[in-house]
Amino acid sequence: MPDQIAGLPQLRGDCASCFGLCCVALPFAASADFALNKPAGKPCPNLQGDHRCGIHADLRKKGFTGCTVYDCFGAGQKVSQLTFGGQDWRTGSKEHARRMFDVFPVVRQLHELLWYLTEALGLAAAGPVRPDLRRAREETERLTRQSPEELAALDVAAYRQQVNVLLLRTSELARAGAGGGKGGKKGKGKDRRGADLIGARLRGADLRGASLRGAYLIAADLTGADLRDADMIGADLRDADLTDADLTGAFFLTQPQLNAARGSAGTRLPGSVSRPVHWTAGR
């Protein structure tokens, strides 16, 4: 567990050390998550000269819920301070800004992989693959420290696929020992990978040790559901109701996933994530 906890703080966004890259580099469309359209490379109108958000305290009220869900996994500060040596996109050339905006999404994906690999290393059942996980984490970290030109040329999708094979094996090991429910069914038998569970009524459901990798749980009712030791990688939890659900030991669960969901003070969470403020303060 120390191996896991030690690596996670640096994989969280530190806006004070970033040049507002997510507010400039990324596009968004007018929707329930964003109040307006913004193309990639154009600063959000709410971004101030000091790289701070002018409506940060009222993002949800102002129609920018998507901003409160997003997390760069620490990529913003690395690209700002390491990859580009602290040179602001505003003060450099247009080419400098373009390269920074191109590199940021690549490093963000690599940092997300670092989150998963770091967490995987902390799983007790990961022993058989722990050496491979360490090597993968070291290689991923090395890739994040490449030059802007090397990062822009990286086939990050192919690399993610390569690492995913290892994460999938880790998941199988972790879930193999998870207790099932009635009849003692093992969690490894509950494969809901990529399942369409949009709006599903799963109140009180026994999903302990289940694979919910890439499952569509948008607006699903998971009130009181047992999600202990479940694999949550890539599960879409937008507007899913996690009130009083038990996610103790759930792994590959990220803060953006939780931020997109609904929950309560009674929702039990793994130690790698925090309870979203809006769960108790109102949406």
Side-chain angles (χ1 to χ4, degrees), residues 1-223:
M1 187 60 70
D3 194 9
Q4 173 193 21
I5 299 300
L8 293 181
Q10 66 176 339
L11 298 176
R12 292 189 172 94
D14 178 10
C15 297
S17 300
C18 179
F19 298 140
L21 293 181
C22 65
C23 305
V24 188
L26 307 179
F28 50 75
S31 61
D33 293 323
F34 297 101
L36 48 79
N37 293 309
K38 188 194 82 64
K42 180 179 180 180
C44 172
N46 298 310
L47 185 65
Q48 302 180 127
D50 60 358
H51 305 298
R52 296 176 182 272
C53 175
I55 61 169
H56 181 73
D58 299 306
L59 282 167
R60 286 181 172 264
K61 294 179 182 178
K62 300 284 188 180
F64 288 86
T65 300
C67 297
T68 68
V69 171
Y70 182 81
D71 192 298
C72 72
F73 293 98
Q77 60 261 33
K78 177 168 282 185
V79 173
S80 297
Q81 304 301 330
L82 179 65
T83 312
F84 288 89
Q87 186 178 8
D88 187 343
W89 54 268
R90 281 191 170 107
T91 59
S93 65
K94 288 184 178 181
E95 176 60 20
H96 167 81
R98 185 192 64 76
R99 284 193 301 150
M100 184 175 281
F101 301 155
D102 287 344
V103 163
F104 171 65
V106 174
V107 178
R108 197 270 185 188
Q109 291 190 64
L110 292 174
H111 267 232
E112 184 177 4
L113 285 179
L114 283 174
W115 175 280
Y116 295 139
L117 289 166
T118 300
E119 186 171 13
L121 280 164
L123 296 174
V129 293
R130 190 163 284 119
D132 292 331
L133 288 169
R134 285 203 178 95
R135 283 191 289 270
R137 187 172 68 171
E138 291 171 1
E139 173 61 12
T140 305
E141 175 62 30
R142 185 192 70 78
L143 290 175
T144 70
R145 295 176 177 276
Q146 293 186 117
S147 69
E149 294 74 20
E150 290 171 318
L151 283 165
L154 177 66
D155 186 345
V156 71
Y159 185 70
R160 285 180 68 100
Q161 284 295 104
Q162 176 184 329
V163 174
N164 188 57
V165 173
L166 182 56
L167 295 176
L168 181 58
R169 175 57 181 150
T170 305
S171 172
E172 291 169 347
L173 290 168
R175 293 184 301 107
K182 298 178 181 179
K185 185 179 181 181
K186 294 296 183 180
K188 63 181 180 180
K190 297 179 181 178
D191 190 355
R192 304 278 176 40
R193 185 176 184 181
D196 182 353
L197 298 170
I198 297 174
R201 297 177 180 178
L202 297 168
R203 180 181 289 258
D206 177 13
L207 294 168
R208 185 176 182 184
S211 174
L212 292 167
R213 297 169 66 88
Y216 296 94
L217 288 157
I218 302 168
D221 183 2
L222 289 159
T223 302

